[in-house]
Amino acid sequence: MRRNRAVKNMFREQLKWASWLLLILLFLRAGHYLLYFLFPEAELMLIPFIEASHQPAKIYMLLTGILTVFIFLELFVRHGQTRKLFVTGSAAVSFVVSALLAAAVYIMTGIGYFLLSIFDLQTVAAASFPFDGESARVTGFFVFTLTIWFYYIIGLLIAGAFYRFGGVIGAVFVIFAVVLLFAENYLWASETFLTGFQPLNIPAGILLLLITGAAFIMLIATFFILKDIRIKTK
């Protein structure tokens, strides 16, 4: 029972943080639309909301992964929970949050497309919903979910390394993480990730499997880093 409570508390907090991210994204999007209509002569670029949300969601999940170690690890251990539960529970919670974030962004995109269509703003509507068929939407959803979750796991690994080893070795993990992030961005060709085009012509399904496999390897590494660590209680 106490185990479920710890995971639920983590889920509830991460959901609150994700809600703030969505509010910020909506606010920025509303401002972008306002500038678009007030200054049409400026020819502002109105990229799809899903694509505009992707990079901020990645950064958010990376920071959430880092914060999770420093905020929740001590709480888990203080309440008699294992490091294994912390790592597995964190991975499960963050995956659900990633999927909910992706779903919320897709729903908002659909609502925006509908509202713009009412006013017959075809150019803006086309730029806001760049899909060709149902399969592209489904693929895009899984890409969005798994790639931002991948960033969370990297954040978890970085924070675990800093927590246990300190600055020098932690910095080595940061360099390793940067290499992974550059590789992920290159493989997906971030500017066209929703269309399924990759510079190496690797099928989207294979890339998703690679990302998932890399995430699980990092989760295992995070567990071994944290399993014998002395918790820094206040």
Side-chain angles (χ1 to χ4, degrees):
M1 190 70 179
R2 189 179 296 176
R3 174 183 304 179
N4 293 335
R5 187 181 302 119
V7 175
K8 286 179 180 177
N9 287 339
M10 180 190 291
F11 176 69
R12 185 163 50 247
E13 289 302 314
Q14 289 196 16
L15 207 55
K16 289 179 183 177
W17 301 346
S19 299
W20 278 107
L21 173 67
L22 289 173
L23 287 175
I24 293 171
L25 290 175
L26 280 176
F27 177 78
L28 293 175
R29 191 62 170 182
H32 199 170
Y33 275 127
L34 183 62
L35 291 174
Y36 186 91
F37 292 119
L38 290 178
F39 306 101
E41 67 280 357
E43 298 183 355
L44 297 173
M45 182 180 296
L46 191 63
I47 64 175
F49 181 59
I50 294 176
E51 194 166 347
S53 304
H54 188 225
Q55 292 300 328
K58 282 182 174 181
I59 301 303
Y60 157 78
M61 292 301 289
L62 178 68
L63 294 176
T64 301
I66 293 172
L67 290 173
T68 295
V69 172
F70 292 102
I71 293 176
F72 291 103
L73 179 59
E74 179 184 332
L75 293 175
F76 268 65
V77 175
R78 186 187 298 168
H79 289 86
Q81 306 307 313
T82 64
R83 274 77 160 179
K84 180 179 179 181
L85 177 65
F86 170 77
V87 174
T88 56
S90 175
V93 164
S94 60
F95 184 82
V96 173
V97 171
S98 297
L100 290 175
L101 264 176
V105 168
Y106 266 62
I107 291 171
M108 292 173 187
T109 301
I111 293 173
Y113 173 74
F114 173 74
L115 293 176
L116 291 170
S117 298
I118 291 177
F119 296 100
D120 199 27
L121 299 171
Q122 299 302 326
T123 302
V124 181
S128 302
F129 205 64
F131 294 113
D132 291 320
E134 191 69 27
S135 60
R137 302 180 192 185
V138 174
T139 301
F141 174 81
F142 281 109
V143 170
F144 196 109
T145 300
L146 284 174
T147 50
I148 67 173
W149 183 65
F150 182 72
Y151 273 61
Y152 177 91
I153 302 303
I154 290 177
L156 205 68
L157 179 63
I158 291 173
F162 270 102
Y163 196 99
R164 176 164 186 171
F165 302 116
V168 177
I169 297 181
V172 173
F173 276 81
V174 170
I175 295 172
F176 171 71
V178 170
V179 172
L180 280 179
L181 297 183
F182 272 113
E184 185 268 340
N185 277 285
Y186 172 73
L187 289 174
W188 279 116
S190 294
E191 67 279 2
T192 57
F193 83 101
L194 288 172
T195 64
F197 295 122
Q198 296 87 39
L200 299 181
N201 296 318
I202 300 175
I206 299 298
L207 286 179
L208 290 175
L209 287 176
L210 288 174
I211 288 176
T212 304
F216 277 104
I217 291 173
M218 286 189 289
L219 280 174
I220 294 172
T222 302
F223 168 71
F224 280 105
I225 288 173
L226 296 178
K227 75 181 186 73
D228 296 322
I229 193 172
R230 177 176 294 178
I231 301 302
K232 302 172 183 178
T233 57
K234 296 179 181 180

